[in-house]
Amino acid sequence: TLSHSMATVRQVNLISIALLAFQMCSAHVQYRGLGLAVHPGRLSERTQVTCHPIEMKVGPLGFLEGLFGGSDDTDEPSAELQGVVRFLTREAGFVFKMTLGSDPARLAGGTGQLAKASSSTVGIELPCRFQADSTPSYDPLQGDVDVLKESRYFTTPPCFWIAECEQGETLPTLWQMRLRCTGVSAGGDDLIPDGIIFFNARLEKSRLGEWELVDGKVTVKEDVRFSRGILAELKTVGVFTVVPRELLPAS
């Protein structure tokens, strides 16, 4: 009958729209490394792929406008988020003061090979400046890293930084920087192998209301053997503090 045919057509249309929505959702993925979202070119360890639900809004175009997004979808960053961006992308940049070796690794809670050894301790300073990707809502907040002084230990690229909110938070609190390391040795001990090195810290406000990076840990990827194979984990090899360059004496 005619009514039966129309019902069948409606079912087919609904199925087609559902498939289209699923394909769009599957194509819109967010890569996560150690709890930090990164774009496909910036994958880190323990990568997961999650699919974001599509927010359904009803406008002049009805269901399809909700599916594809209306013209009012322009999220502006809050004043506080813009303050985070200004802090991280300050023109003068920062100086990373690293302390690497078995003792600092153990004191930071490390459980890797270096933390279990008895190596020498070495201090390294690295001046960096951060660039922020230009996105309407800074989601996720990320960008490239400029190493401001030639280093015998660190090269670029790849190098980038990223900051993300913890669950329930509206401002980023988890921060990570990734650099290429050519290897660090001291006193005949290999502290860091040639490869990718990760700087992890928390983004917090001080008692004076100023943003700062705290609880800095330097980590590297290390193979850990299990009964069913080998799993790569990030292990602590040292700690670091971050100081805005304009606060340091001119050299």
Side-chain angles (χ1 to χ4, degrees):
T1 62
L2 179 60
S3 60
H4 178 74
S5 299
M6 293 179 63
T8 302
V9 170
R10 283 197 297 270
Q11 291 177 353
V12 171
N13 288 339
L14 287 174
I15 293 174
S16 300
I17 293 174
L19 288 174
L20 176 60
F22 175 77
Q23 292 171 353
M24 292 180 61
C25 186
S26 299
H28 182 198
V29 297
Q30 183 175 15
Y31 295 81
R32 296 181 180 270
L34 299 176
L36 300 177
V38 298
H39 61 60
R42 297 175 173 174
L43 296 184
S44 183
E45 276 60 40
R46 302 178 186 174
T47 302
Q48 299 177 348
V49 180
T50 60
C51 185
H52 295 285
I54 299 177
E55 180 182 359
M56 304 311 300
K57 297 181 294 182
V58 178
L61 298 181
F63 174 78
L64 289 180
E65 181 169 336
L67 181 62
F68 293 104
S71 59
D72 61 338
D73 190 14
T74 54
D75 295 333
E76 290 294 332
S78 66
E80 285 188 296
L81 184 56
Q82 292 183 46
V84 175
V85 176
R86 286 193 297 270
F87 163 72
L88 290 172
T89 60
R90 62 201 315 133
E91 185 177 356
F94 301 88
V95 173
F96 284 74
K97 297 186 176 184
M98 294 164 263
T99 306
L100 309 174
S102 295
D103 286 342
R106 278 194 298 269
L107 290 174
T111 59
Q113 295 178 7
L114 185 61
K116 296 176 182 178
S118 299
S119 75
S120 303
T121 300
V122 63
I124 300 176
E125 293 190 0
L126 183 70
C128 297
R129 181 171 53 226
F130 304 139
Q131 307 292 335
D133 287 354
S134 178
T135 56
S137 60
Y138 300 110
D139 183 22
L141 186 59
Q142 59 186 316
D144 295 326
V145 178
D146 296 327
V147 176
L148 301 178
K149 184 178 180 180
E150 185 176 355
S151 171
R152 59 180 294 191
Y153 301 113
F154 302 100
T155 62
T156 58
C159 56
F160 67 89
W161 65 272
I162 190 164
E164 191 180 46
C165 303
E166 294 181 275
Q167 187 174 4
E169 299 291 335
T170 58
L171 292 174
T173 55
L174 302 175
W175 180 92
Q176 185 186 84
M177 177 174 70
R178 170 176 171 167
L179 294 177
R180 175 81 185 186
C181 181
T182 58
V184 178
S185 300
D189 301 317
D190 293 329
L191 306 183
I192 300 179
D194 183 357
I196 301 300
I197 186 172
F198 300 86
F199 296 75
N200 303 278
R202 294 191 61 82
L203 187 59
E204 297 181 354
K205 269 192 174 181
S206 68
R207 287 179 293 181
L208 299 178
E210 300 291 336
W211 287 104
E212 57 183 359
L213 290 169
V214 299
D215 299 332
K217 294 182 180 180
V218 183
T219 59
V220 298
K221 186 164 58 176
E222 189 174 301
D223 290 338
V224 178
R225 293 186 177 276
F226 292 89
S227 58
R228 296 185 179 181
I230 299 176
L231 177 66
E233 292 186 351
L234 290 185
K235 297 296 185 179
T236 302
V237 294
V239 296
F240 69 89
T241 57
V242 183
V243 181
R245 292 183 71 207
E246 67 269 22
L247 300 182
L248 296 174
S251 57

